[in-house]
Amino acid sequence: MPGKFITFEGTDGSGKTSIIKEVERYLKVQGYKVVTTREPGGVSISEQVRNVIHDVQNTEMDPVCEALLYAASRRQHLVQKVIPLLKEDTIVICDRYVDSSLAYQGYARGIGIEKVKEINEFAIDGIYPDLTIFLDVDPKVGIERIMTHQLSHEVNRMDKESINFHEKTHEGYLELVKMYPDRIKKVNGERSIKEVAFDCFQLIKEIL
Ligand code: TMP
């Protein structure tokens, strides 16, 4: 497909939203056609699935059910939004994609990276990002950021997990960086928005 598919990953509170906004601005100034979107969500059906997964009342949700729902939401978003944009030569920047499932459900929930990858391969049909940027932030710093900005950020069922869960997710991401060194690039996210966005922009330029 003529477009480019770029995904951002990180533990909760790693600053993806702010960095994506800044990167989008840089790319648009350079004249690129850019659309930003997010997972789980991005289109109506996927947003509805998001509400089910993240509802703080759904404490009894089984981990495999959770992984399947993320994959289902991903599938709908991919076919309804991402693929049509890529066919139109657009740069699609997505806040989370398959690596979130591998790190959160596969590694941190303990289902296993390979098992969760299998479910997701059915959903994504070989469509992997051209580039994935992992914003590396100490999970404790991330959770503190979320708690400080609680008023402007939905605090969902995943945010309410223990710090141990967020530490495991972080370890999961580091594992993925080792497994896919060509696709996933790690960027130190504990710096100013400008500095982090600059590094991301350099990586993006290499694939354009
Ligand atoms: P966010 O919109 O604040 O990034 O929240 C999404 C939450 O959902 C975040 O805690 C990560 C989690 N998540 C998974 O556990 N697996 C997934 O596949 C995706 C896309 C998100």
Side-chain angles (χ1 to χ4, degrees):
M1 281 179 279
K4 291 285 178 210
F5 186 24
I6 300 165
T7 59
F8 278 77
E9 294 286 351
T11 47
D12 296 59
S14 56
K16 290 179 284 87
T17 314
S18 316
I19 299 302
I20 288 174
K21 265 194 208 139
E22 191 68 5
V23 167
E24 180 188 19
R25 200 174 60 77
Y26 281 170
L27 288 169
K28 283 189 170 161
V29 166
Q30 309 244 328
Y32 290 103
K33 208 159 65 164
V34 187
V35 170
T36 62
T37 185
R38 71 158 181 184
E39 274 205 7
V43 292
S44 171
I45 293 172
S46 306
E47 290 287 341
Q48 291 173 56
V49 178
R50 176 187 178 98
N51 291 338
V52 174
I53 312 174
H54 288 174
D55 189 334
V56 288
Q57 309 285 334
N58 286 340
T59 48
E60 72 273 35
M61 191 177 290
D62 167 72
V64 176
C65 171
E66 182 182 282
L68 288 165
L69 287 175
Y70 276 119
S73 159
R74 173 162 305 127
R75 170 73 188 177
Q76 186 65 31
H77 176 244
L78 183 69
V79 295
Q80 194 181 341
K81 188 166 183 182
V82 178
I83 294 176
L85 287 166
L86 292 175
K87 284 186 177 157
E88 282 168 15
D89 198 13
T90 305
I91 299 176
V92 180
I93 302 182
C94 192
D95 186 340
R96 301 193 178 283
Y97 189 58
V98 64
D99 301 294
S100 284
S101 285
L102 303 182
Y104 282 78
Q105 282 68 50
Y107 195 90
R109 287 267 190 250
I111 300 174
I113 289 180
E114 283 309 317
K115 272 235 168 86
V116 174
K117 194 172 157 211
E118 256 174 50
I119 300 172
N120 276 276
E121 288 197 330
F122 182 54
I124 67 172
D125 217 2
I127 302 192
Y128 278 93
D130 296 291
L131 170 68
T132 297
I133 296 178
F134 165 53
L135 295 183
D136 189 15
V137 168
D138 180 334
K140 286 198 196 73
V141 173
I143 293 303
E144 263 169 42
R145 284 181 183 172
I146 288 181
M147 293 312 160
T148 320
H149 298 106
Q150 246 188 48
L151 291 176
S152 58
H153 174 94
E154 75 169 23
V155 176
N156 61 46
R157 197 167 55 82
M158 307 303 278
D159 295 326
K160 285 180 172 284
E161 287 289 343
S162 67
I163 186 66
N164 183 45
F165 177 79
H166 295 287
E167 302 273 8
K168 283 206 101 168
T169 306
H170 186 253
E171 267 175 42
Y173 274 123
L174 295 177
E175 198 62 34
L176 294 174
V177 172
K178 272 194 242 150
M179 286 169 74
Y180 305 107
D182 294 339
R183 177 174 63 83
I184 309 183
K185 305 292 178 193
K186 184 174 85 163
V187 167
N188 172 5
E190 290 190 33
R191 295 171 296 157
S192 72
I193 293 179
K194 288 250 174 301
E195 284 170 306
V196 180
F198 179 80
D199 282 3
C200 296
F201 191 55
Q202 296 307 313
L203 290 167
I204 292 170
K205 273 206 307 208
E206 286 175 24
I207 62 148
L208 293 180

